[in-house]
Amino acid sequence: MTADLYCVMGNPVEHSKSPWIHARFAQLTGQDLRYVRKLVPLGGFAQAVQEFRAEGGRGCNVTVPFKFESTALATRLTPRARLAQASNTLRFDGAEVFADNTDGVGLVSDIARNAGVDLAGRDVLLIGAGGAAAGVLGPLIEARPRRVVVANRTQARAALLIGRHSALAAQHGVALAAPEIQEVHDDFDVVINATASSMAGAAVPVAAGVLKPGTLACDLMYGPAAQGFIDWAARHGAVARDGLGMLVEQAAEAFLVWRGVRPPSAQVLAELRATLA
Ligand code: NAP
């Protein structure tokens, strides 16, 4: 029997740590699978998925810039993928394409399990309104913070995003707001940078006044590009965190979707940090 085949599709994809993470998950859980990278040409996502399925692929992770297209291909969507309008995990069940978004639950797991912060009752600032922010807002709301303020360079996108989540927020008793980014003057218990500012080498797009001593400040970016945000947060008394924990936790959730087994993510995160140090 050949090992079950999975991949990550993206453009670029060379930098992806997913093959390493899933190979380690498979070793630790005794699962027989092979996980490869697929560089997909822009405009070629649907064809790449078709070819991968024809090759025997059982599922794939989807990264920039295809998370929206992967949702359009799905025949079945989880509620969190539907709310995000983006998916990072596909599973091929016969003729069916099942799509999920594990980014948000990955971030919330990293904050709760690895950073040890309970989001319930907290004030949260989510910076950004792109694919990553769309993926994390629903699971953030489900963690029942007191309020979530979504601030984005283009305010209209943040307004759309909170509009889509208003019923969920009401259900969980969470206040939502989307002010102009330069109008954010309060401080927060948790600040999440879900913009591409770090990737672009740009300044953090909010004033340092959003931080107070002990604020948990997370950038979804990891590696050297996250250092500017980490230094900014630490300089202002916050507890800084990069996106590596989210990366491993979203992968663990995808592994669960595919294999029905939850891998030991904290161990794999520690090993990955040691490998990258
Ligand atoms: P995206 O859909 O392209 O959205 C980009 C977002 O960043 C938008 O809100 C955009 O604002 C904002 N932005 C871009 N450049 C900016 C700048 N110079 N200053 C202020 N805001 C800026 O990208 P995405 O998929 O959301 O990804 C965002 C980040 O999350 C990336 O760094 C990605 O690597 C990271 N990520 C990490 C994980 C993980 O597992 N750790 C998972 C997913 C994503 P406008 O709306 O105004 O354009």
Side-chain angles (χ1 to χ4, degrees):
M1 273 245 309
T2 52
D4 290 341
L5 180 63
Y6 296 87
C7 75
V8 53
M9 293 192 183
N11 188 338
V13 79
E14 205 40 56
H15 65 286
S16 175
K17 305 279 179 268
S18 294
W20 188 93
I21 294 169
H22 282 284
R24 191 69 186 120
F25 285 167
Q27 267 176 354
L28 290 169
T29 56
Q31 296 280 311
D32 191 16
L33 63 84
R34 199 157 63 85
Y35 187 108
V36 298
R37 281 186 188 84
K38 295 268 182 195
L39 175 64
V40 174
L42 300 179
F45 181 70
Q47 190 183 336
V49 168
Q50 201 178 7
E51 286 170 4
F52 186 61
R53 292 178 75 183
E55 231 181 283
R58 301 286 300 271
C60 67
N61 283 136
V62 182
T63 186
V64 176
F66 302 117
K67 288 185 187 181
F68 298 105
E69 278 181 71
S70 69
T71 308
L73 276 189
T75 56
R76 195 151 66 93
L77 278 172
T78 57
R80 61 193 182 195
R82 180 170 292 112
L83 200 53
Q85 296 181 356
S87 50
N88 70 339
T89 303
L90 297 180
R91 190 182 67 210
F92 309 128
D93 299 337
E96 189 127 76
V97 178
F98 172 83
D100 196 0
N101 188 318
T102 67
D103 278 339
V105 74
L107 175 68
V108 169
S109 294
D110 182 54
I111 291 174
R113 288 188 204 166
N114 303 327
V117 171
D118 182 0
L119 285 164
R122 304 298 184 109
D123 285 344
V124 178
L125 174 63
L126 175 63
I127 316 166
V136 304
L137 183 55
L140 275 177
I141 291 169
E142 285 168 349
R144 296 178 184 271
R146 190 173 77 96
R147 66 175 175 142
V148 182
V149 172
V150 181
N152 190 47
R153 183 174 62 178
T154 310
Q155 190 272 342
R157 291 184 82 189
L160 270 179
L161 190 59
I162 69 161
R164 211 158 77 221
H165 287 75
S166 59
L168 185 70
Q171 187 189 330
H172 291 284
V174 179
L176 280 185
E180 292 286 349
I181 198 162
Q182 59 279 14
E183 300 298 322
V184 180
H185 300 303
D186 299 349
D187 55 36
F188 293 83
D189 303 307
V190 178
V191 171
I192 298 160
N193 184 19
T195 75
S197 64
S198 293
M199 195 148 73
V204 182
V206 291
V210 301
L211 303 175
K212 59 185 174 185
T215 294
L216 177 68
C218 308
D219 197 329
L220 301 198
M221 197 67 210
Y222 50 86
Q227 199 57 48
F229 178 91
I230 302 279
D231 293 344
W232 171 83
R235 236 184 358 261
H236 295 96
V239 177
R241 189 161 186 85
D242 67 9
L244 203 63
M246 171 181 172
L247 179 75
V248 173
E249 295 295 349
Q250 63 76 27
E253 197 70 15
F255 196 88
L256 177 66
V257 167
W258 293 328
R259 312 298 299 181
V261 181
R262 200 173 202 294
S265 47
Q267 177 187 341
V268 173
L269 174 58
E271 291 176 359
L272 183 58
R273 277 207 195 282
T275 304
L276 297 178

